[in-house]
Amino acid sequence: MLNKNTKILIIGLGLIGGSYADALSDKGYTVGAIDTDQSAIEYAKRRGIIADGRTFADGEFIRSFSLIVFCLYPSAMKEWIKTNQRYFAPDALLTDVCGVKRATVYSVQDILRPDLEFIGAHPMGGREVSGVRHADKNIFKGANYIVVPTRKNAQHAVDTCRALAETIGFRHIATLSPETHDEMIGFLSQLTHCIAVALMACKDSAKLVDYTGDSFRDLTRIAMINENLWCELFYENKDELIAQMNLFSAEFEEIKRCIETDDFQTMKQIMRVAADRRRLFDKTEEEERSEKR
């Protein structure tokens, strides 16, 4: 279980890794980091985001940590673990922040030493910026967090992940299988990024900036995208993402049909359903607490 004696190592000191480190250091934990960018390590040390860091896999340094959080692209994480797991302390717990799980959790668990444990996790939060210089310990406050265990995970790993999320400030912590996670994320995250990208790509926006309102800005905010990361996420989850794209396309075509045929009643019913479902996102914390009583 997580306690103040738990030393935590962040692998990948970007926005997410840096924000994890910032929140954990602020709570009194000893946090180290490994990142290939020396300037990122130096910046994080100056700001008190980490206690120490390295730009390479320093075995002695790595062995001093019992909890390791991977904030890398899925393929990079798998390769890093495969190459460097000999340095992990006995009985170390490994977790991650990757946006896909079937393609990562099972393969990592299959290659791990028998004394190590890996449990998937996914923080549902971020910003359209990158790098540790944008790290903020408050970035996850009020956000959702998903723990993604398999049959190979012990209860203490689930409990530690939940404690990590609570310490960082996540509001709602859910537990999903890798399969259900990828289905949900295919719809909630990957599909929405595809829609935002398509909106920005389908029409030359050079002059639109002079006329747009908040609705277009809100819809396309996440089109400010890291193409290398998101291409990898899309392809690692392509079956679920395509299924969600087909679901959206069918509903979009139905709306188009309603407009073409003046089917106002069906159009209004679709809008009512959409509005009712959207209201669920606007529940206050107090309302949620009342429902749980």
Side-chain angles (χ1 to χ4, degrees), residues 22-135:
D22 192 25
L24 291 164
S25 293
D26 185 63
K27 294 292 185 178
Y29 288 87
T30 299
V31 182
I34 295 177
D35 193 279
T36 56
D37 184 352
Q38 181 64 43
S39 67
I41 296 292
E42 292 172 355
Y43 174 86
K45 288 174 68 175
R46 284 198 310 272
R47 297 294 297 271
I49 294 172
I50 60 172
D52 200 0
R54 300 287 188 274
T55 57
F56 62 98
D58 180 335
E60 184 177 355
F61 180 66
I62 294 169
R63 273 189 292 273
S64 66
F65 296 91
S66 58
L67 176 59
I68 303 172
V69 182
F70 286 90
C71 303
L72 302 173
Y73 293 7
S75 59
M77 177 182 73
K78 288 185 282 188
E79 185 60 33
W80 205 99
I81 292 173
K82 181 180 179 181
T83 302
N84 298 298
Q85 65 170 309
R86 66 187 184 276
Y87 298 132
F88 298 149
D91 300 317
L93 179 63
L94 285 58
T95 187
D96 73 329
V97 301
C98 285
V100 292
K101 292 306 177 201
R102 289 174 301 163
T104 57
V105 174
Y106 296 123
S107 57
V108 169
Q109 289 180 339
D110 285 344
I111 65 172
L112 272 187
R113 286 169 16 205
D115 63 307
L116 302 173
E117 184 166 358
F118 176 88
I119 181 166
H122 188 182
M124 298 300 294
R127 292 177 179 166
E128 289 67 58
V129 291
S130 61
V132 70
R133 287 165 181 78
H134 295 285

Side-chain angles (χ1 to χ4, degrees), residues 137-155:
K137 63 178 178 290
N138 298 311
I139 194 174
F140 302 120
K141 285 188 175 178
N144 294 326
Y145 180 93
I146 306 173
V147 184
V148 191
T150 72
R151 287 179 295 179
K152 290 187 175 182
N153 288 123
Q155 187 60 45

Side-chain angles (χ1 to χ4, degrees), residues 23-24 27 137-145 162-173 285:
L24 291 164
K27 294 292 185 178
K137 63 178 178 290
N138 298 311
I139 194 174
F140 302 120
K141 285 188 175 178
N144 294 326
Y145 180 93
R162 294 184 67 89
L164 180 67
E166 290 169 357
T167 299
I168 291 172
F170 289 93
R171 177 176 59 89
H172 181 260
I173 303 169
E285 291 186 28

Side-chain angles (χ1 to χ4, degrees), residues 249-259 263 266-267 270:
S249 294
E251 194 68 21
F252 197 81
E253 283 298 316
E254 176 64 2
I255 293 172
K256 180 182 175 183
R257 184 200 66 77
C258 289
I259 295 170
D263 185 351
T266 302
M267 185 77 248
I270 292 172

